Amino acid sequence: MPRPARNQPSELDQLPDRDPQETAEWRESLDAVTEHAGPERAAYLVRRAVDHARDSGLRVPGLLETDYVNTIPTSAEPDFPGDEAMESRITAWNRWNAAAMVTRGSRYGLGGHIATFASAAWLYETGFQHFFRGKDGLGAAQAGGSGDQLYIQGHASPGIYARAFLDGRLTEAGLDRFRQEAAGGGLPSYPHPRRLPWLWEFPTVSMGLGPINAVYQARFNRYLTNRGIKDTSGSHVWAFLGDGEMDEPESTAALALAGREQLDNLTFVVNCNLQRLDGPVRANFKIVQELEAQFRAAGWNVVKSLWGSAWDELLRLDTSGALVKRLREVPDAQFQTYATRDVPYIREHFFGADPQLAEMARLLSDDKIATCFHGSRAGHEPRKVYTAYKAAVEHEGAPTVILAQTVKGWTLGPGFESRNANHQMKKLSGKEFRAMRDLLELPIPDSKLDDELVPYVHPGPDSPEVRYLQERRAALGGPAPARKVHPVGLPEPAAKPFAALDKGSGSQEIATTMAFVRLVKDLMKEKESGRRWVPVVPDEARTFGMESLFPSAGIYSPLGQNYDPVDRDQLLYYKEASDGQILNEGITEAGSLADFTAAATSYATHGEPMIPFYIFYSMFGFQRTGDQFWSLADQLGRGFVIGATAGRTTMTGEGLQHADGHSPLLASTNPAVVTYDPAFAYEVGSIVRDGLRRMYGPDPAAHEDLLYYLTVYNEPKAQPAKPEGEGVEEGILKGLYRFKEGTAPREDSPAVQLLASGTAVHWALEAQRMLAEEWDVRADVWSATSWNELRRDALECDAAQLRGEERVPYVTRVLEDAPGPVLAVSDWMRAVPDQISQWVRQDWTSLGTDGFGLSDTREAARRYFGVDAESVVVAALAQLARRGEVKRETVRKASETYGFGTA
């Protein structure tokens, strides 16, 4: 047969061939096989040669894609260690109760998902019975008390609740509160730790976040071990995913990291039922083959577990390779059709495509064909699943992905199985429940199915099934999934690092970004808590002035540093170490936040409180990874989030996509985030100290599940000393205090209150001077360290009024006697300070940086947005003119004086 044309030259052409004749003979042999035995045979021989070479220790690249068959043949399956009949009964009870729970809830219009767990039931049950380590007892000791980390697929949650019911951890009343949480005590729809903190450990239903978080969790486990914090070598991370979910960019974003760092403590289980929410995952292609190539290319060990044991006979009959060829070429959507069509259709359209397959089909009964095509999938057979899991946990040197094929809606009847609409189907009819009962062989009499409300069923707390389940879990370390918080408090840090900020910087100008970095550098030297700081940065450490941490703390790399850094002769050289403290993740905000998530929840996952701070370009935090922040809050994370180079106008020359004018507004939507916009270094110190107290203080009972978000600026300014006035510390933490009183040029001078945050305080101070010296106006300058916290306090006061309590918001109270109107200004859009306007009794107006950012000098950008000192002066005079306290002519004159034109 003719040789296919090359698309490009081979890289081998540039390497010397010491024996061209021998090479030609190998080529001729392959050509001869192709001609006489066919291309399938030739390809088989090449693959056999590659396998043999790899097994012999020769370094040859592996194939990215293999045949559409099981990686581990039936003949190589290990003995199954459990009681398969018993585990089948347990799985049957779980299937029934999961379907019953969702169906019963549907009468309230609450919905729920049935088909996902139905397809994945054995993927979970095999793990619970034989692999997943818990957090208690002897089995937990093997995993250092941390157990395994389980990322449960969100839509499978009904099955996990059903198993907890069988295990005695949930009651019928609990199941009947599925998706009914408002009154308390209900079950959340999906894995939500914040809503059910004793059960769920990781939120996963925001698809794509589970995979990336699982990778970085496995990586963080190694980080803890390498740094000597805790030996986590016995913990294994399991992530259960859908094949459709793998389309999310976060699902595959960190595959190369896992392969590069050889995270063999990580296993992905991808439930390949070939269906996403609306239809086939890869209608005209093959998702399993695509995923295999992706994972292999990233350095993963791939185990395909596709066909059930009924297919063994067909594969034995395939002496020509025609069956394997046909399995490889049929697109996924067609396989879904085969699962729902009768045998004559399958004989015609599958076997009829090749004369050799047609001959094979004559040897197969209709029952055999129906069994194979309608439901014999490896993901529905515990022995197949056990084989794949055992191969995963025993594999060394690489993470493993298991591509397990199932039928979506399996055991729910022909109305569900493989149907495109099954994801949206929320209940079974009475007839379907009877068919399901018969298929699962459950001892439920018809009399119990006569009522409109299908019953939950339980074999009894002393039944063989429950005893078996509980004995297996006891051997593996207790219940799973389970979240367990270890009450560990950290000592208060020394006062010295904070005192340094309180003194101010004198004439030296430093940015608040640098003030924060200096503070943390000092706190990392603390004897008790210093080693628990986890700096996380997405490849911008030098931008934020953090290079001073490189030599002292080191950058984490499991391989250490196997090269001479180009800046080794410099004081602040780039130092990597296997016990490095800094997580410098490269250009990946998503990866950095996944790292932060693992560190921020280590107090629960591993009983080791860590103090992470994630520092990033302000614009690329809540805007780019807001969904991850929401998931982090759900997971009850704790730590410091630093939006550096904050504000719309401080990024000189960077332009639209780097100019952040809205992140505090985005952060305000997250109830777990405590947001601050400090202007001065001493404010940064007070806020960090308060965060350490609330999240990590000596009394664990007082710990709060919060994220402290600080916006800091790259604009160097002389940092003043902390004022000694009464209420300063309270005001910093609550969100507002008077930083500098204005002077009254005359006894009857009009007054105005200037509220400013962050770098805008400096504009307000200049405006204060100008108003007094040039326009005879007294202006008080207030530092609004947190518009968001002021609003949160006011909302709580409003809620208290509904309970009959009289509470005055802090912002109302602190401004109560302040004369004149209020003008708020910040480097954010006006909606940020306007959050508190309704609780300010004085006349209110604001200035802000609404619109897109732009490239220019700070001065030009601030004039463009109308927030510079001159703009503040004109706006203040305009407020006073509206009140009749200055003449309108004064506003016009000021506008012309400062170059604004006619007002």
Side-chain angles (χ1 to χ4, degrees):
M1 64 182 293
R3 184 189 303 275
R6 284 187 185 179
N7 290 322
Q8 62 186 31
S10 169
E11 71 275 10
L12 297 176
D13 293 341
Q14 64 189 308
L15 304 179
D17 187 345
R18 66 182 185 183
D19 193 341
Q21 182 176 350
E22 182 182 37
T23 303
E25 291 172 355
W26 276 76
R27 288 175 170 175
E28 291 169 3
S29 297
L30 188 60
D31 290 343
V33 173
T34 302
E35 182 177 353
H36 295 290
E40 296 296 324
R41 177 61 180 171
Y44 176 83
L45 291 177
V46 170
R47 289 180 52 198
R48 275 295 190 187
V50 170
D51 282 350
H52 179 72
R54 190 168 57 246
D55 293 342
S56 301
L58 299 180
R59 296 185 62 184
V60 293
L63 299 175
L64 292 184
E65 184 181 321
T66 62
D67 285 327
Y68 200 59
V69 296
N70 295 347
T71 301
I72 303 173
T74 301
S75 60
E77 291 176 2
D79 292 336
F80 186 72
D83 184 332
E84 190 169 345
M86 181 68 74
E87 293 179 23
S88 293
R89 291 201 298 274
I90 291 171
T91 306
W93 292 117
N94 292 339
R95 288 180 183 277
W96 178 276
N97 288 321
M101 180 177 66
V102 175
T103 299
R104 289 166 70 100
S106 68
R107 68 190 190 275
Y108 302 116
L110 295 170
H113 298 280
I114 303 176
T116 294
F117 177 73
S119 70
W122 275 114
L123 301 181
Y124 291 107
E125 194 58 35
T126 304
F128 284 128
Q129 297 288 8
H130 302 286
F131 292 95
F132 303 157
R133 293 195 177 109
K135 300 177 182 294
D136 302 307
L138 180 62
Q142 300 171 357
S146 299
D148 287 351
Q149 286 82 58
L150 308 180
Y151 289 76
I152 304 294
Q153 192 179 2
H155 293 136
S157 60
I160 307 304
Y161 290 139
R163 195 174 201 278
F165 170 63
L166 200 65
D167 195 12
R169 294 200 288 164
L170 285 175
T171 64
E172 282 194 22
L175 295 186
D176 257 352
R177 297 294 305 282
F178 177 58
R179 294 192 170 193
Q180 299 175 63
E181 300 179 84
L187 299 182
S189 52
Y190 304 122
H192 292 308
R194 187 170 283 274
R195 291 302 185 197
L196 200 63
W198 61 268
L199 179 72
W200 298 119
E201 197 166 16
F202 305 103
T204 55
V205 81
S206 188
M207 288 187 282
L209 301 192
I212 192 170
N213 283 346
V215 169
Y216 280 90
Q217 182 66 58
R219 198 283 192 94
F220 189 74
N221 290 358
R222 291 279 173 84
Y223 172 89
L224 290 177
T225 300
N226 289 342
R227 289 198 53 222
I229 302 291
K230 182 176 184 178
D231 182 2
T232 64
S233 57
S235 287
H236 199 88
V237 178
W238 300 82
F240 288 84
L241 319 168
D243 47 359
E245 181 179 4
M246 300 308 294
D247 283 345
E248 291 285 2
E250 294 89 350
S251 294
T252 55
L255 298 187
L257 168 70
R260 184 170 64 244
E261 297 200 2
Q262 301 180 351
L263 298 179
D264 51 18
N265 60 338
L266 170 67
T267 296
F268 277 15
V269 181
V270 183
N271 180 15
C272 298
N273 54 40
L274 313 185
Q275 287 183 261
R276 53 189 179 201
L277 306 189
D278 289 332
V281 177
R282 290 291 183 272
N284 294 296
F285 305 93
K286 302 187 78 62
I287 186 61
V288 169
Q289 302 300 88
E290 178 182 320
L291 292 176
E292 178 184 28
Q294 276 188 291
F295 279 91
R296 286 191 188 277
W300 286 56
N301 173 46
V302 178
V303 177
K304 292 197 291 191
S305 193
L306 308 178
W307 307 112
S309 55
W311 283 84
D312 289 348
E313 180 183 348
L314 277 67
L315 291 169
R316 283 194 299 269
L317 293 172
D318 185 29
T319 57
S320 66
L323 175 62
V324 172
K325 177 176 179 292
R326 183 69 175 140
L327 290 174
R328 189 169 61 242
E329 68 188 16
V330 174
D332 284 352
Q334 187 62 43
F335 261 112
Q336 295 299 91
T337 300
Y338 293 148
T340 63
R341 299 300 294 270
D342 58 23
V343 172
Y345 179 91
I346 298 170
R347 286 185 182 276
E348 177 185 354
H349 291 86
F350 182 83
F351 292 99
D354 186 298
Q356 296 178 87
L357 288 180
E359 186 66 26
M360 177 194 295
R362 280 196 282 271
L363 303 176
L364 302 173
S365 68
D366 284 358
D367 286 345
K368 169 60 74 172
I369 292 176
T371 298
C372 287
F373 284 83
H374 290 171
S376 182
R377 306 291 188 269
H380 300 319
E381 297 186 12
R383 291 178 180 270
K384 301 288 186 185
V385 177
Y386 177 85
T387 296
Y389 286 9
K390 189 171 187 291
V393 297
E394 292 179 353
H395 187 83
E396 297 180 357
T400 294
V401 60
I402 296 169
L403 303 175
Q405 190 156 272
T406 66
V407 172
K408 193 167 186 177
W410 181 238
T411 73
L412 297 181
F416 273 81
E417 293 171 359
S418 296
R419 300 294 177 179
N420 284 342
N422 59 20
H423 191 80
Q424 305 304 323
M425 299 164 72
K426 311 300 183 185
K427 61 182 180 179
L428 275 68
S429 66
K431 181 180 179 181
E432 288 169 327
F433 267 114
R434 286 183 175 84
M436 183 181 180
R437 175 205 58 188
D438 295 341
L439 178 64
L440 298 177
E441 299 180 348
L442 290 171
I444 306 172
D446 285 340
S447 59
K448 288 194 174 184
L449 299 178
D450 288 339
D451 296 334
E452 182 178 340
L453 206 58
V454 63
Y456 298 116
V457 290
H458 196 291
D462 294 323
S463 65
E465 293 92 337
V466 173
R467 289 201 304 270
Y468 181 92
L469 180 155
Q470 294 177 340
E471 288 169 2
R472 289 302 308 142
R473 288 312 314 156
L476 287 168
R483 181 176 180 273
K484 185 176 182 180
V485 176
H486 305 260
V488 178
L490 300 179
E492 293 183 6
K496 186 177 179 181
F498 302 99
L501 298 187
D502 289 349
K503 288 191 305 183
S505 65
S507 60
Q508 180 188 9
E509 292 187 339
I510 66 170
T512 50
T513 299
M514 183 55 65
F516 174 81
V517 171
R518 289 183 181 180
L519 173 63
V520 171
K521 185 178 180 181
D522 288 340
L523 292 174
M524 287 170 65
K525 298 175 184 176
E526 289 281 300
K527 182 178 180 181
E528 296 296 329
S529 60
R531 69 191 185 117
R532 296 187 179 276
W533 282 88
V534 183
V536 182
V537 56
D539 203 39
E540 293 277 9
R542 296 185 190 276
T543 302
F544 308 137
M546 292 174 58
E547 61 266 37
S548 62
L549 295 178
F550 289 170
S552 57
I555 299 165
Y556 174 73
S557 168
L559 299 180
Q561 191 160 37
N562 297 320
Y563 61 92
D564 291 327
V566 67
D567 53 359
R568 183 65 178 84
D569 57 341
Q570 297 180 14
L571 180 63
L572 304 180
Y573 69 95
Y574 195 83
K575 177 188 175 184
E576 295 188 81
S578 59
D579 61 348
Q581 197 163 354
I582 303 168
L583 292 171
N584 191 318
E585 290 306 338
I587 304 176
T588 167
E589 283 83 7
S592 298
L593 190 47
D595 241 339
F596 180 85
T597 298
T601 54
S602 181
Y603 74 94
T605 307
H606 294 295
E608 295 289 347
M610 306 299 286
I611 312 173
F613 75 87
Y614 169 39
I615 187 167
F616 50 86
Y617 252 116
S618 181
M619 187 70 156
F620 305 134
F622 283 87
Q623 174 169 300
R624 173 167 281 184
T625 53
D627 194 18
Q628 284 182 276
F629 276 110
W630 201 260
S631 174
L632 170 60
D634 191 348
Q635 200 171 322
L636 306 168
R638 302 170 183 171
F640 295 94
V641 181
I642 312 301
T645 59
R648 184 85 79 192
T649 69
T650 60
M651 292 296 295
T652 54
E654 288 287 355
L656 187 150
Q657 285 188 299
H658 286 67
D660 182 11
H662 52 276
S663 284
L665 206 60
L666 299 178
S668 72
T669 65
N670 192 319
V673 177
V674 180
T675 302
Y676 287 98
D677 187 28
F680 305 119
Y682 68 81
E683 293 177 348
V684 172
S686 293
I687 293 164
V688 170
R689 181 161 47 192
D690 182 62
L692 289 172
R693 176 188 62 81
R694 293 177 69 181
M695 296 184 290
Y696 302 98
D699 181 10
H703 288 173
E704 299 176 71
D705 302 317
L706 303 171
L707 301 169
Y708 265 59
Y709 173 42
L710 282 72
T711 49
V712 292
Y713 296 81
N714 66 329
E715 187 172 9
K717 293 287 184 180
Q719 298 295 328
K722 185 176 184 179
E724 296 181 357
E726 183 181 352
V728 170
E729 184 73 11
E730 178 190 31
I732 292 172
L733 301 181
K734 284 186 174 294
L736 183 68
Y737 69 99
R738 182 154 40 200
F739 173 72
K740 186 177 181 180
E741 287 193 52
T743 57
R746 305 187 317 269
E747 189 172 327
D748 61 345
S749 292
V752 66
Q753 305 300 314
L754 302 180
L755 276 58
S757 69
T759 196
V761 171
H762 300 285
W763 320 334
L765 288 170
E766 177 62 12
Q768 179 189 52
R769 182 194 64 78
M770 296 167 66
L771 284 166
E773 295 178 2
E774 301 174 20
W775 307 102
D776 292 339
V777 172
R778 169 194 164 184
D780 292 345
V781 174
W782 299 71
S783 179
T785 54
S786 181
W787 309 104
N788 293 19
E789 285 303 292
L790 291 173
R791 176 178 176 81
R792 184 170 287 172
D793 169 76
L795 290 173
E796 290 173 357
C797 291
D798 286 356
Q801 288 183 348
L802 296 177
R803 300 190 297 268
E805 303 173 24
E806 284 298 327
R807 286 172 52 185
V808 179
Y810 174 82
V811 64
T812 306
R813 178 162 38 90
V814 79
L815 289 173
E816 187 171 13
D817 298 324
V822 169
L823 172 60
V825 59
S826 74
D827 208 15
W828 310 102
M829 60 192 299
R830 292 175 63 177
V832 174
D834 284 350
Q835 293 179 91
I836 65 169
S837 62
Q838 72 185 81
W839 295 282
V840 175
R841 290 171 180 165
Q842 292 89 338
D843 292 340
W844 171 277
T845 193
S846 62
L847 299 176
T849 55
D850 289 71
F852 289 111
L854 76 168
S855 302
D856 214 312
T857 64
R858 292 187 180 113
E859 293 75 18
R862 287 163 186 168
R863 173 54 61 94
Y864 173 85
F865 284 109
V867 293
D868 58 358
E870 292 81 0
S871 300
V872 174
V873 170
V874 174
L877 292 173
Q879 273 188 294
L880 293 170
R882 284 193 293 270
R883 293 161 58 93
E885 296 181 35
V886 302
K887 295 179 180 180
R888 183 66 190 170
E889 174 64 20
T890 302
V891 182
R892 185 191 65 78
K893 182 179 179 182
S895 179
E896 291 178 349
T897 299
Y898 300 134
F900 290 105
T902 303

